[in-house]
Amino acid sequence: MLKAPRGTSDTLPPDTSKWAYIEGVMRQVSRRFNFEEIRTPTFEHLELFARTVGETTDIVEKEMYSFKDKTGRDLALRPEGTAPVARAFLEHGMASGPLPRKFFYMGPMFRYEKPQAGRYREHRQFGVEILGSASPYSDVEVIVLAMELAAELGLTGTTLHLNSIGCPSCRSGYKAKLIEYLRPKTDLLCEDCKSRLERNPLRVLDCKQEGCRSAIVGAPSMLDHLCPDCKAHWDQMTRILASQGISFEVDSALVRGLDYYTRTVFELKWPPLGAQNTLVGGGRYDGLIAELGGPPIPGVGFGMGIERMLLATDKGSKPIQAETAIDVFVIGLGTDQTVGEKAFGLVRDLRRAGLCCEFDPLQRSMKAQMRQADRMNAKFAAILGDDEVARGVVTIRSMSEGWQKSVDESSVVNVLREEVTGCGK
Ligand code: HAM
């Protein structure tokens, strides 16, 4: 039998209702922060990611789902959302419009990674980007948004990790110092880090291999090598965070696996998740728009893994409840077909009135339908039989309390609506 490709998964009910809930909260919180939704294609020219995420990064070097289309164009399924948003921003002339612009997006990303809990070849991200603000208030605004989202979804105990990786000018001096420090320790480094030491030494700081981790102990810190402007940005940002009572850990080994970052990089982690515990990764990318041929417009944003958020909330103290209960199960059973038709009309009226309503198209026995109503956690059953139709009434039954009563057919929709509201709908 055919199965879904490795690293992908189907989302089935009732989990789909949890997804809908999370996505709904993401939309609401984005609206409150006045971010507008942007949607970009799921595939782009491969060059977009090579130029921005970086040729020597794992994402571009090893993980991209790249392919040639029928006319030989080099394309790639998007591994991330920032470069596509920057491309769309430029392509549609937004660089010359009012700034800053604030976008959010949700959708699938593709990376050929080794699948494990919390790491997939297709994952979904919620992301935000602010384009056109170099202010540290914007760094803090996106950090606050990420934290409020986590809190709104019932997650407590997230930790904020923060670093600055400077700008190209201060970073080049730092890189030279780092290479100088690591060169005598080359033997300790993994093969990947050996080969990228000269090209991209910051990646060594981020490597999870034991040898590399021991090699970086005591390595110089970027924070001690920031130029005056980058230092001022860092000082202001950390001061704003402190003024808002937001605690953070400074992590000088936090460099992130994408080349476009400048200055601020941050991650929001939830430690109980284990190995893949980074819920949110983000930072500033002041050179990205210019790299794509646009004016020097700064940017800052983050991406949040939606699968990881769901894993975390499931494990946390307030798991999201799947929404499966229905309001009314309508049972129409009579000797004449008109009873079924009347019942079907009642289902339509109840649905129009905003109630979640179900019926049995197979018209099984009364006992079977009552069992079905129970299984669906119906709050009420509405029963129409020969007798009810003759009397112009509908019998309604509270499934939780067991009482039942006859209600005139002209008022049954209103009565049920009131009863359902009374049940805490
Ligand atoms: P990223 O750190 O590569 O950043 O991904 C962001 C988040 O997506 C991660 O923190 C994680 O929660 C989730 N994620 C990444 N890869 C996987 C995977 N294979 N399986 C499951 N979840 C995953 C970016 O993509 C940047 N574009 C974020 C950004 C936006 N920076 C600035 N603006």
Side-chain angles (χ1 to χ4, degrees):
M1 209 202 310
L2 279 178
K3 292 191 169 166
R6 193 163 132 78
T8 70
S9 59
D10 300 305
T11 309
L12 306 176
D15 281 353
T16 32
S17 76
K18 295 188 191 175
W19 275 84
Y21 175 79
I22 289 196
E23 288 165 357
V25 171
M26 288 170 167
R27 282 180 193 284
Q28 280 165 21
V29 175
S30 301
R31 175 81 195 112
R32 269 189 251 150
F33 279 70
N34 197 29
F35 281 73
E36 296 175 290
E37 183 171 9
I38 185 165
R39 300 186 189 198
T40 63
T42 33
F43 62 88
E44 296 271 356
H45 291 288
L46 185 142
E47 191 194 343
L48 173 67
F49 302 109
R51 260 166 65 181
T52 56
V53 174
E55 301 269 13
T56 61
T57 58
D58 282 354
I59 292 181
V60 169
E61 225 170 38
K62 302 180 190 164
E63 296 170 359
M64 225 147 44
Y65 278 92
S66 51
F67 58 99
K68 283 195 190 294
D69 73 3
K70 293 192 193 301
T71 53
R73 290 185 196 95
D74 285 308
L75 301 171
L77 297 185
R78 65 176 179 203
E80 64 98 48
T82 310
V85 169
R87 195 255 323 127
F89 173 81
L90 279 176
E91 185 172 338
H92 300 286
M94 292 186 259
S96 49
L99 296 175
R101 287 297 292 260
K102 296 160 68 176
F103 300 108
F104 80 89
Y105 51 89
M106 275 189 256
M109 309 291 164
F110 307 87
R111 298 182 190 178
Y112 190 79
E113 293 194 89
K114 196 160 177 235
Q116 53 175 270
R119 191 203 275 166
Y120 314 99
R121 291 186 174 164
E122 180 188 30
H123 73 280
R124 284 147 195 91
Q125 261 185 43
F126 164 81
V128 303
E129 314 292 351
I130 300 181
L131 292 167
S133 165
S135 159
Y137 279 105
S138 296
D139 305 44
V140 176
E141 185 178 23
V142 297
I143 290 172
V144 167
L145 197 162
M147 296 180 80
E148 293 208 354
L149 247 180
E152 191 101 351
L153 290 169
L155 263 194
T156 50
T158 52
T159 53
L160 174 63
H161 301 253
L162 210 57
N163 193 19
S164 173
I165 56 168
C167 61
S169 67
C170 54
R171 205 183 307 150
S172 67
Y174 171 69
K175 274 184 181 171
K177 286 219 165 105
L178 188 60
I179 294 173
E180 206 175 293
Y181 182 85
L182 290 172
R183 222 180 256 138
K185 298 167 185 264
T186 311
D187 287 350
L188 290 170
L189 302 182
C190 70
E191 290 311 309
D192 275 352
C193 286
K194 269 183 195 144
S195 78
R196 63 189 167 203
L197 176 61
E198 307 288 330
R199 289 180 298 156
N200 201 349
L202 263 65
R203 300 289 297 130
V204 182
L205 296 176
D206 196 34
C207 183
K208 304 288 177 283
Q209 301 290 330
E210 215 164 290
C212 303
R213 295 188 79 95
S214 60
I216 64 163
V217 175
S221 158
M222 183 70 230
L223 287 175
D224 297 329
H225 295 81
L226 295 177
C227 63
D229 286 349
C230 290
K231 173 89 170 67
H233 184 91
W234 170 259
D235 288 344
Q236 285 167 24
M237 180 188 64
T238 48
R239 194 185 146 152
I240 299 167
L241 284 168
S243 78
Q244 302 304 305
I246 297 169
S247 48
F248 56 89
E249 281 175 35
V250 177
D251 181 351
S252 59
L254 177 63
V255 293
R256 314 243 325 114
L258 303 96
D259 278 357
Y260 50 62
Y261 289 117
T262 51
R263 296 189 171 167
T264 313
V265 285
F266 70 93
E267 289 185 345
L268 196 66
K269 294 178 189 266
W270 195 65
L273 266 190
Q276 304 302 321
N277 64 11
T278 306
L279 301 174
V280 174
R284 181 162 276 291
Y285 45 89
D286 293 345
L288 177 61
I289 297 282
E291 181 59 47
L292 291 174
I297 290 179
V300 63
F302 70 74
M304 171 183 273
I306 306 183
E307 286 86 356
R308 288 190 196 175
M309 281 308 288
L310 197 61
L311 284 174
T313 52
D314 275 348
K315 252 192 162 185
S317 54
K318 266 178 68 190
I320 296 165
Q321 298 303 319
E323 202 185 313
T324 53
I326 65 167
D327 294 324
V328 184
F329 192 95
V330 175
I331 301 174
L333 273 183
T335 44
D336 193 285
Q337 189 177 330
T338 52
V339 178
E341 289 161 359
K342 221 175 167 107
F344 190 73
L346 177 58
V347 170
R348 292 185 65 199
D349 289 344
L350 289 166
R351 286 175 176 166
R352 276 198 209 106
L355 299 188
C356 169
C357 192
E358 188 52 288
F359 73 107
D360 178 15
L362 305 180
Q363 304 265 284
R364 279 166 288 208
S365 71
M366 172 66 88
K367 206 167 138 202
Q369 292 199 41
M370 285 305 276
R371 261 205 311 268
Q372 216 179 336
D374 238 356
R375 212 179 43 241
M376 290 183 175
N377 282 323
K379 294 178 188 130
F380 293 92
I383 303 158
L384 266 166
D386 290 331
D387 178 49
E388 278 87 358
V389 171
R391 289 165 46 219
V393 297
V394 177
T395 301
I396 63 174
R397 179 184 172 89
S398 160
M399 299 299 286
S400 57
E401 294 166 14
W403 57 255
Q404 62 178 47
K405 64 181 178 192
S406 287
V407 178
D408 195 82
E409 63 179 20
S410 62
S411 57
V412 67
V413 172
N414 280 342
V415 170
L416 278 169
R417 197 166 40 188
E418 270 163 35
E419 291 285 0
V420 166
T421 315
C423 281
K425 192 184 156 65

